[in-house]
Amino acid sequence: MNCPKCGKEMQSGYLQTNKIMAFNQHIHKLSLLPKDEGDLLIVNNTVRGANFKGFICKDCGLIVFDYTQSNVKE
């Protein structure tokens, strides 16, 4: 996959997380839990975390992953 930011080849792999992962519109200092419209709790699993298949561009730092496909096993 080519990077949508810089156009270079991206490396495939897994984005791994432990416990909570969220995409928030603003930085929340005390909790990652969604507070605003548009915030999204991606993972809330205190026992095992989650794995997501994705791609990373080591040239510009962009990571692309499908958050609907969690706990991918290889």
Side-chain angles (χ1 to χ4, degrees):
M1 174 177 180
N2 289 338
C3 178
K5 185 175 176 182
C6 72
K8 294 183 179 175
E9 185 69 24
M10 299 181 84
Q11 177 183 343
S12 66
Y14 298 90
L15 178 64
Q16 297 183 291
T17 181
N18 186 15
K19 300 185 182 182
I20 293 176
M21 179 182 202
F23 181 86
N24 294 322
Q25 299 290 313
H26 302 55
I27 294 174
H28 299 175
K29 293 183 181 183
L30 298 177
S31 171
L32 292 178
L33 297 177
K35 297 177 185 173
D36 302 318
E37 186 175 331
D39 288 355
L40 176 65
L41 182 62
I42 297 172
V43 173
N44 188 9
N45 188 338
T46 59
V47 177
R48 59 187 162 93
N51 305 303
F52 300 92
K53 181 95 171 113
F55 297 88
I56 186 170
C57 180
K58 292 185 177 178
D59 289 310
C60 72
L62 186 68
I63 296 175
V64 177
F65 69 98
D66 181 354
Y67 69 86
T68 65
Q69 302 295 318
S70 67
N71 290 323
V72 175
K73 303 218 183 342
E74 187 166 289

